[in-house]
Amino acid sequence: MTVEEQQEGPPAQPSGEIGTAADASRPAGKGGFFRAVGRGIVLLFKAAVPVAVLGGAFLVFQYMMATRPEVVRKPVAEKVYFVDTVTGSKRTIAPRLVLYGNIVAGREVELRPLVSGRVVRVAKSFSDGGIVRKGDLLVEIDLFDYRIAVTERKAQLSEAQARLTEIEADLKGERALIQHERNQIELRQRDLARRQSLLERGAGTVKLLDDSKLALSGQRQRLDERIRRATTLEARLVQQKAVIARAEWALTRAERNLRDTRLVAPFDGFLSDISTEIGKKVGVNDKIARLTDAGRFEAEFQVSDAQYGRLVREGRVIGRPASVVWQTGGRNFTFPATIARVSGLVSSASGGVNLFARLQATDTTTLLRPGVFVEVRMADTTYRNVFRLPDDALDDGRFVYVVVDGRLVRRPVTIAGRVGNDILVRGEIADGDRIVARTFPEIGPGLKVNVPSASARNTQ
């Protein structure tokens, strides 16, 4: 090939997009056609498979709908609630209050010596916890000085009585002399009258008359002196009797002081707070022991305002019977008691009222001591014509539910009182009514219920 032919030939095609466009502009060959047909078949198959699946599913659904069994609709069953009931019984109920308190001493004294001196003797039982009986010697104080005092007072009394005897003798003599002087005056008066008569008849003289008058005057003067002396002796007699009375009282006091050197137990009881022994000098203001009366133990306990109000409404608080229970060592010791008094103060913290129940039949053999924690049981107020129901039977604080022909009927009630976890009610319920013992959230009038035979029980 010549150089010219090469120049006339088609120019060389560049690579890239120019080449691709040239290829597309060229007519496809035989191999390209079959490739295009193959791709079309593949696309057609991919589109046909989902259509076939959906069509099959639709046919299956139509078949199942055509061959499904007929559904028979049943009426909706009413829900039945199972409830626990109690059988109502109207009665009179006297519940018991169970309260708690402490044993206190109903009578307790601080023993102090009545005279001062040195302790020379103490009883064997004179110790903390010692048991003594009325009249037992507890402490004896040296009686030497007090015995001397008694002797001195007796001597003073004897002296005063002797002086009284002397004054009485003097007074008796003066009274006798007074009577003698009066007799003398009567004689002088008769003598004066006789001389006066003689002078009037001319048989006497004036001098004899004057001598008679002078003698009468002197006799009267001696009588006045005797009377004055007798009056003085009477005053001295009264004064001496007062001296004797003082001496007698002084002797009585001295004898009492002598007796008081022996300190004895004023009643049966238990000793505590011992603070003396032999050799110690004590005064009248020194406390040497404390004595608790074994026969007057009391249980102090508190009742609420409501409880106290119910007791007062019954009309009697003092004298109300009770029982005191002491639990110790796995045993219960029960003591009969009676409400003896009401505290003079009301607790500001709790607002309750303190009562004191005096235990009966306690003595020095009793194991109780002040401070023991006890349980007090006593009758509460009496509730008449009430129904006793569980606390859970009350709905909304005002209603209970009664089972009538398998359904619930709401009845209004009022609370009369409480006994433990139970309530005492009055209302529109009657003996034999089956009352729901425990309410539930869905409870309401008209509900259908089922009462198991074992659930029905009588109210206590």
Side-chain angles (χ1 to χ4, degrees):
M1 182 177 296
T2 62
V3 175
E4 295 176 353
E5 289 176 346
Q6 292 180 350
Q7 293 177 348
E8 291 178 357
Q13 297 294 330
S15 59
E17 294 180 358
I18 299 176
T20 303
D23 291 341
S25 63
R26 268 195 298 212
K30 184 175 181 179
F33 172 76
F34 285 107
R35 284 195 298 272
V37 172
R39 284 196 296 271
I41 293 173
V42 172
L43 293 175
L44 181 62
F45 179 76
K46 289 182 179 180
V49 170
V51 174
V53 171
L54 291 175
F58 178 75
L59 293 176
V60 171
F61 173 74
Q62 290 293 331
Y63 174 77
M64 293 179 66
M65 291 294 292
T67 59
R68 67 179 178 176
E70 184 177 357
V71 178
V72 179
R73 296 185 176 274
K74 297 181 179 180
V76 178
E78 183 178 5
K79 185 176 181 179
V80 179
Y81 295 87
F82 288 86
V83 294
D84 187 15
T85 63
V86 294
T87 302
S89 177
K90 184 184 293 186
R91 62 183 64 185
T92 297
I93 297 178
R96 296 186 65 82
L97 292 175
V98 179
L99 307 162
Y100 299 94
N102 297 314
I103 294 296
V104 296
R107 181 169 64 169
E108 188 177 58
V109 295
E110 290 184 349
L111 298 178
R112 300 176 186 270
L114 301 178
V115 294
S116 60
R118 182 172 56 88
V119 177
V120 295
R121 182 182 175 189
V122 296
K124 293 182 179 179
S125 60
F126 192 74
S127 58
D128 278 327
I131 299 174
V132 297
R133 297 189 178 276
K134 182 178 179 179
D136 287 351
L137 174 65
L138 302 178
V139 173
E140 185 175 3
I141 296 174
D142 188 4
L143 50 78
F144 179 77
D145 292 337
Y146 300 99
R147 184 175 291 170
I148 291 178
V150 170
T151 302
E152 290 178 348
R153 297 303 181 186
K154 285 182 178 179
Q156 292 173 359
L157 178 60
S158 298
E159 182 181 359
Q161 289 174 340
R163 183 58 180 161
L164 177 65
T165 302
E166 180 183 357
I167 295 173
E168 287 176 344
D170 291 342
L171 180 60
K172 184 177 180 180
E174 286 296 325
R175 286 173 177 172
L177 292 174
I178 289 173
Q179 185 62 34
H180 178 70
E181 295 293 340
R182 286 174 177 170
N183 293 335
Q184 291 294 321
I185 290 174
E186 290 179 0
L187 294 174
R188 296 293 181 181
Q189 287 176 343
R190 285 198 299 269
D191 181 66
L192 178 62
R194 185 173 60 254
R195 290 181 183 276
Q196 183 74 31
S197 177
L198 291 173
L199 182 62
E200 291 176 354
R201 292 197 301 266
T205 63
V206 175
K207 182 179 182 306
L208 292 176
L209 180 62
D210 291 339
D211 291 342
S212 182
K213 288 182 179 179
L214 183 61
L216 178 60
S217 177
Q219 199 68 41
R220 286 177 174 173
Q221 184 178 0
R222 286 192 294 272
L223 176 61
D224 291 340
E225 289 293 333
R226 296 291 182 185
I227 292 175
R228 182 187 63 79
R229 180 173 172 76
T231 303
T232 302
L233 289 174
E234 288 176 351
R236 289 177 60 188
L237 181 65
V238 173
Q239 182 181 7
Q240 191 62 29
K241 287 181 178 180
V243 171
I244 291 174
R246 287 196 299 270
E248 289 175 343
W249 280 111
L251 176 60
T252 301
R253 184 181 296 109
E255 291 175 341
R256 179 179 177 181
N257 289 340
L258 181 60
R259 291 193 303 269
D260 288 343
T261 57
R262 293 170 53 88
L263 181 63
V264 299
F267 46 77
D268 297 351
F270 310 103
L271 292 171
S272 60
D273 297 342
I274 302 300
S275 60
T276 192
E277 192 48 76
I278 294 177
K280 182 177 180 180
K281 188 173 182 179
V282 295
V284 293
N285 292 324
D286 295 338
K287 185 181 75 171
I288 62 174
R290 183 185 300 273
L291 180 63
T292 301
D293 191 347
R296 291 186 60 177
F297 280 131
E298 294 180 347
E300 181 183 8
F301 61 98
Q302 188 177 92
V303 295
S304 65
D305 283 344
Q307 292 169 340
Y308 185 69
R310 294 198 301 268
L311 296 178
V312 172
R313 192 166 58 245
E314 286 279 308
R316 183 168 64 103
V317 177
I318 305 299
R320 197 179 187 90
S323 60
V324 177
V325 180
W326 178 32
Q327 299 179 356
T328 181
R331 297 178 58 190
N332 290 346
F333 297 91
T334 303
F335 302 88
T338 304
I339 304 301
R341 54 195 174 95
V342 181
S343 175
L345 298 176
V346 177
S347 174
S348 59
S350 62
V353 179
N354 285 5
L355 302 181
F356 295 86
R358 179 170 297 175
L359 278 65
Q360 303 171 7
T362 58
D363 52 26
T364 54
T365 62
T366 303
L367 299 178
L368 282 176
R369 294 294 185 275
V372 170
F373 183 76
V374 293
E375 181 180 275
V376 181
R377 301 173 183 174
M378 59 186 299
D380 200 347
T381 185
T382 301
Y383 298 92
R384 294 176 173 83
N385 300 322
V386 294
F387 295 86
R388 182 172 180 173
L389 304 175
D391 185 51
D392 292 338
L394 195 65
D395 181 49
D396 197 24
R398 297 179 297 156
F399 303 100
V400 296
Y401 288 89
V402 178
V403 179
V404 179
D405 297 332
R407 294 190 179 274
L408 297 183
V409 178
R410 188 166 66 177
R411 301 282 176 81
V413 294
T414 57
I415 299 177
R418 294 182 177 271
V419 181
N421 293 327
D422 294 343
I423 55 174
L424 305 178
V425 300
R426 298 186 182 97
E428 299 179 9
I429 50 180
D431 287 343
D433 283 349
R434 303 179 72 180
I435 304 167
V436 176
R438 184 180 295 104
T439 60
F440 49 92
E442 298 84 2
I443 196 168
L447 289 183
K448 189 174 183 179
V449 294
N450 187 359
V451 181
S453 59
S455 71
R457 61 181 188 273
N458 294 327
T459 58
Q460 300 177 352

